[in-house]
Structure formats: structure tokens, C-alpha cells
Amino acid sequence: MSIARALVLGGGGVLGISWETGVLAGLAGEGVEVTDAELIVGTSAGATVAAQVSTGAVQGLYRAQIDQTAAREPKLDVDLPAILKQIGDIVAHRQSDPEAARREIGRIALECDRVPESERRALIGERLSVHDWPERRLAVPAIEARTGRFTVFDRESGVGLVEAVAASSAIPLIWPAVTIGSERFYDGGIRSATNVDVARHARRRLILAPLRMTDMADCIPQADDQDDLWIEPDERSSMVIGADPMNPDFRPAAARAGFAQGVRTAEVVRSFWNDGT
């Protein structure tokens, strides 16, 4: 069923959350309310933002990033570039068989949990002020670790919102895969940083992408009749996010950079978002 507009929020670590929140707040401050989309898709870090803006006011979320009253975020002692390279090598080796690549990544994800799964769930629970699915359409992608199957959780899936967001943002080798039913699920951003094709029935899609990565081969390309607008970090935002996207100390800086970018792009987004409406 075709819908008019979708907001797609991609992955990008803790600072991706801050940047996306800032962009949305900057747009809203200029009167461009894109969180009124018929569908919001949130992957990994974007899953947190999607859940937050679906149930709360974006300006309050932005202020919480600036004054550091947002939920606690631990500093991680991990070699993120090495982990991303390991995952990237698997994807490249199995380029023609995305599910096989995701199964292999799932296998290494299940070998060791750096922190207890319950601890990670609690952290995600703190991020979300509301733990129930919103009435509006919200889609949260994740990957079933054992099979490599791409899964999209929503209000009708029978899965709790906290569990869905935790699964979508469970970066392999950093955060534990999340148990849902008899299976465990990990970061939907491994398939695509944005999974924009989850919104394939939307005629117009606004995509916020803190990080751009190569999509897996089973991602559905943009249709000829679709209109997409991508917002990616500008030079200032990239300097903040790129240094260490998992470092919570830089949340205020990333949020402010996103806010400024939202203000600067407001007229372009307004024209795009309201075209034909």
C-alpha cells in the first residue's frame, strides 16, 4: 500500500543519535515538522531516535543531549575500526550471498557477550521514555543471528519496543544479541545503515544518514517513481562524529552540529517534504 512520506533514520553510534536529534530539532525550530511522516524507519542508532520522536517532543530530546541529561551512555573500550573491518571482510567475501554473510556475522556475535544482555536492555529502556509502540507506523529492522534472516519489527510483530530497539542496535562484538522468543537478534545496520527499502512503498523519503556504508545485495533499489532526499553530516558534523561515534562525551557537540545543519537545510527540506501536499 502506497504512502506519501517516510522518515528514515540510519545508524551511527551514540553520536549518530545526538546528530539526528539535532537535525530534527533544527528543522522543527524552522517550522519543518518531518516527524509527522506516515512511516518512520529506524535502524540501529536510528531506532532509538525513531522510537523517541514517535513518543516525545523533539525539542525536549535535543535539550537532553545538550545538557547531558539524556540516558547514561557508557564509554566503550573497544577497537571499533577493527570490528567494522572484520564485519566488512565477511560481507565482502560473501557478497553474492547476503544471508550467508549475516549468518557468519551472527555466529561470531553469539560467541561472546561483552556485557550481560539484561544490562544492555536496561540501558535501552533508560533511553526510551515510553516503552509502548506508538500508534503511528514505526518500523525497526534487525537480523536473526542463527539464520541471517532480515527482520522488521513493528507494532504488529508481538515484540516489545525496548526489545526491538535493543536488537536493532546490538552491534556484533560490542553489544550482546537480544533474545526474542527462541532466537537472538543483532544490529539491522549490518544489512544497510539505513534500510531505506523498508519504506519502499513511500513516494517520498527523507533519509538521515550519520554513516554511509555499502548496502548488502538484497537491498531493494530506489524505484523510478520515488523521490529521496538524503541528509548526511556536513564538514562540521563529520569532524565531531567521525572521531569516535561511540564516545558519549561528544553528544552535546554532535547535537549542536546537527541542529545547525537542520537550520541550514530547512528550506530545502520544507520544499521537498511539502511538495504536492
Side-chain angles (χ1 to χ4, degrees):
M1 182 176 121
S2 178
I3 61 174
R5 301 177 300 188
L7 173 63
V8 179
L9 302 170
V14 170
L15 299 190
I17 294 174
S18 302
W19 178 80
E20 288 181 328
T21 303
V23 171
L24 294 174
L27 291 172
E30 297 299 306
V32 185
E33 298 284 356
V34 296
T35 58
D36 63 357
E38 289 91 329
L39 168 66
I40 301 180
V41 179
T43 297
S44 197
T48 291
V49 181
Q52 288 175 330
V53 300
S54 295
T55 56
V58 69
Q59 297 294 357
L61 295 168
Y62 172 67
R63 286 193 297 273
Q65 292 289 329
I66 293 299
D67 61 21
Q68 293 281 42
T69 58
R72 63 185 176 89
E73 295 289 348
K75 282 190 177 182
L76 301 178
D77 184 19
V78 296
D79 188 344
L80 182 60
I83 290 171
L84 295 180
K85 182 180 185 306
Q86 182 178 358
I87 292 171
D89 288 346
I90 294 171
V91 173
H93 180 66
R94 295 188 176 273
Q95 194 169 20
S96 62
D97 192 345
E99 277 204 351
R102 295 195 290 264
R103 283 196 298 273
E104 187 171 344
I105 295 167
R107 178 182 57 77
I108 65 172
L110 296 178
E111 285 178 352
C112 178
D113 290 341
R114 293 182 60 258
V115 300
E117 191 178 334
S118 59
E119 182 179 319
R120 175 62 175 167
R121 284 174 185 250
L123 188 150
I124 298 298
E126 289 177 18
R127 283 181 181 174
L128 307 183
S129 59
V130 177
H131 291 180
D132 295 323
W133 288 90
E135 292 297 328
R136 72 175 64 194
R137 295 178 64 184
L138 170 61
V140 179
I143 296 166
E144 190 177 284
R146 180 179 60 86
T147 64
R149 181 173 63 93
F150 180 65
T151 303
V152 180
F153 297 118
D154 60 19
R155 185 181 179 84
E156 307 303 320
S157 63
V159 173
L161 181 60
V162 172
E163 286 72 23
V165 173
S168 185
S169 54
I171 305 170
L173 302 177
I174 295 181
W175 297 118
V178 173
T179 302
I180 297 175
S182 61
E183 299 290 348
R184 296 184 74 189
F185 294 81
Y186 69 85
D187 195 339
I190 298 301
R191 175 181 182 262
S192 165
T194 59
N195 290 299
V196 66
D197 58 336
V198 172
R200 58 186 172 276
H201 299 303
R203 296 190 297 276
R204 192 176 306 120
R205 304 182 295 191
L206 175 64
I207 305 109
L208 272 60
L211 296 176
R212 284 294 288 270
M213 295 164 48
T214 302
D215 290 346
M216 284 190 168
D218 57 348
C219 293
I220 300 170
Q222 179 182 355
D224 292 339
D225 61 347
Q226 282 179 319
D227 194 6
D228 287 355
L229 177 62
W230 289 77
I231 299 180
E232 300 173 278
D234 57 15
E235 184 176 0
R236 177 182 172 190
S237 297
S238 294
M239 287 178 62
V240 178
I241 297 173
D244 183 357
M246 306 299 289
N247 189 337
D249 289 346
F250 296 104
R251 286 191 293 177
R256 288 191 178 96
F259 186 93
Q261 192 170 348
V263 170
R264 287 196 299 274
T265 59
E267 290 310 312
V268 172
V269 176
R270 190 195 314 276
S271 176
F272 170 79
W273 200 241
N274 296 328
D275 184 30
T277 62

